[in-house]
Amino acid sequence: MSKNEIMFKIITLGDSGVGKTSIIRRYANNIFDESILSTVGVGFAFKEVELKNKKKVKLKLIDTAGQEKFKSLAKSYFKNVDGVLFVYSFEIPQSFENLKEWIKLFNTSHNGKTGVPMILVGNKSDLEEEEEVQKNDKLVNDFLEEFKDFKFYRTSAKENILINDLFQELAEEIYSKEKEGGKKGHNVVKLKNFDEKKNHCGC
Ligand code: GTP
Ligand code: MG
């Protein structure tokens, strides 16, 4: 990686089976697999994205495992994360309820950097029942009332709905927040110029 390259670290969090790996694989490799295995430990993917201002940014996508037994491992990747996708599935109502726990875990375990952009992702929109949409929207609205800084995306990794837009938006938001932080000296990390050695640590 060259000296002037910018890299943002994005982590996915949420219950097992909601589609975190599928979202990342759709975005990074444009593939979808019905019989994908549950993540063991943690996975990584990389993808370059071009921002509106034509700057190129490398995204490091950290794919955590949703199973309870991997929670403490997931926590060890929270450090210096630049953006978070909190994922639930329309197929698993409990996964929405459980998001507050994931948010609490992130907020109490990351390294105190403020203003980390976060997106609420309702995945498997292809399985969302027509008659459930209104109820689901109400739940999301209530959630956004409480977590005002969140954006919301309704995605389908299977049908490739809004997957690119989701990452593009997050990358743009991270970029503008970090630029702002750099300018105003807020408690937001400045744009990072990575070199091979620094980047090598992986997290
Ligand atoms: P863990 O690794 O256990 O934390 O789960 P995960 O959140 O990574 O879920 P994963 O991507 O493994 O997906 C779980 C199941 O849901 C798989 O069978 C996927 O094929 C399926 N799936 C993922 N996204 C979608 C989607 O958008 N629509 C549909 N219909 N199925 C999906
Ligand atoms: Mg997974």
Side-chain angles (χ1 to χ4, degrees), residues 5-27:
E5 235 181 307
I6 301 167
M7 185 163 78
F8 295 154
K9 281 200 264 182
I10 292 173
I11 198 165
T12 55
L13 295 175
D15 282 4
S16 181
V18 296
K20 300 179 297 299
T21 304
S22 301
I23 288 170
I24 287 178
R25 281 166 51 118
R26 172 61 83 191
Y27 180 61

Side-chain angles (χ1 to χ4, degrees), residues 32 49 85 131 182:
F32 177 77
V49 61
L85 299 178
E131 57 275 17

Side-chain angles (χ1 to χ4, degrees), residues 77-148:
Y77 290 93
F78 291 177
K79 198 173 164 218
N80 293 327
V81 152
D82 299 303
V84 191
L85 299 178
F86 287 99
V87 186
Y88 70 100
S89 159
F90 291 109
E91 190 196 28
I92 316 169
Q94 187 61 41
S95 66
F96 182 81
E97 305 299 319
N98 291 346
L99 277 183
K100 287 190 181 168
E101 284 303 312
W102 286 105
I103 294 168
K104 202 161 122 195
L105 186 74
F106 182 77
N107 284 339
T108 53
S109 312
H110 79 116
N111 61 341
K113 187 167 112 179
T114 57
V116 176
M118 297 180 187
I119 298 188
L120 171 67
V121 183
N123 189 43
K124 308 197 191 182
S125 62
D126 55 292
L127 297 178
E128 189 179 15
E129 305 285 346
E130 188 92 31
E131 57 275 17
E132 297 286 301
V133 171
Q134 218 179 343
K135 192 188 92 201
N136 291 339
D137 281 351
K138 166 93 177 64
L139 289 173
V140 169
N141 279 335
D142 291 348
F143 179 98
L144 296 177
E145 275 292 304
E146 188 175 348
F147 299 95
K148 290 193 170 27

Side-chain angles (χ1 to χ4, degrees), residues 1-10 44-49 51 56-62 80-83 113 171 174-175 178 189-196 198-203:
M1 194 165 183
S2 83
K3 231 180 166 188
N4 293 322
E5 235 181 307
I6 301 167
M7 185 163 78
F8 295 154
K9 281 200 264 182
I10 292 173
F44 301 98
F46 293 87
K47 170 107 173 169
E48 192 174 74
V49 61
L51 302 177
K56 291 202 168 103
V57 170
K58 195 166 189 178
L59 303 184
K60 177 177 181 174
L61 308 169
I62 306 171
N80 293 327
V81 152
D82 299 303
K113 187 167 112 179
I174 294 169
Y175 184 85
E178 297 205 350
V189 293
K190 286 184 192 158
L191 288 176
K192 287 163 280 188
N193 289 327
F194 280 77
D195 59 37
E196 286 287 352
K198 264 192 193 163
N199 191 27
H200 205 68
C201 84
C203 52

